């Protein structure tokens, strides 16, 4: 007789076994995520220059106001952690802008 359980049923069995103390069927994956970088004014300007966009375009991409980007680039304020993570992605993979702006 073949086992005709679905993937969901197998997952439920594994989860139930784990909850009951049997970890023999459990696979654990540990992932380490580094904190978002803290960009200074010059770094933000450099990123924007590298991807060749205006403050207004960068603001639209990051869903912030153009004044916010201006404040970052003048050193009056700093990006939030989520905005910093997006800046990091833009810096590392500039082609991501093509997806966002198309």
């Amino acid at each position: 007789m073949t086992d005709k359980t679905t993937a969901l049923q197998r997952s439920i069995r594994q989860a139930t076994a784990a909850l009951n103390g049997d970890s023999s069927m459990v696979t654990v994956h540990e992932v380490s995520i580094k904190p978002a970088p803290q960009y200074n004014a010059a770094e933000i300007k450099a990123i924007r220059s590298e991807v060749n966009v205006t403050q207004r375009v960068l603001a639209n991409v990051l869903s912030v106001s153009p004044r916010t980007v201006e404040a970052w680039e003048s050193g009056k304020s700093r990006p939030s952690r989520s905005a910093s993570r997006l800046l990091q992605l833009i810096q590392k993979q500039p082609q991501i802008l093509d997806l966002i702006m198309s």
Side-chain angles (χ1 to χ4, degrees):
M1 181 182 215
T2 57
D3 186 13
K4 296 193 179 220
T5 59
T6 66
L8 177 60
Q9 289 170 322
R10 286 189 299 277
S11 293
I12 291 170
R13 283 188 195 151
Q14 291 169 1
T16 302
L19 288 171
N20 291 325
D22 178 8
S23 60
S24 63
M25 300 185 339
V26 177
T27 302
V28 176
H29 299 276
E30 291 186 29
V31 178
S32 175
I33 299 175
K34 295 178 183 176
Q38 291 293 309
Y39 291 105
N40 64 37
E43 292 167 329
I44 295 167
K45 283 182 191 177
I47 292 168
R48 188 171 59 76
S49 290
E50 288 170 16
V51 295
N52 195 30
V53 296
T54 64
Q55 287 181 344
R56 183 172 298 281
V57 170
L58 183 61
N60 283 331
V61 167
L62 299 176
S63 295
V64 299
S65 74
R67 283 191 168 185
T68 298
V69 174
E70 184 181 335
W72 295 343
E73 290 188 1
S74 67
K76 293 179 185 170
S77 66
R78 295 192 128 189
S80 65
R81 287 181 293 198
S82 56
S84 292
R85 181 67 76 198
L86 291 171
L87 285 167
Q88 180 185 32
L89 292 172
I90 292 167
Q91 182 181 33
K92 291 190 182 277
Q93 296 188 1
Q95 68 276 14
I96 201 166
L97 290 176
D98 295 336
L99 297 171
I100 295 169
M101 298 189 317
S102 60

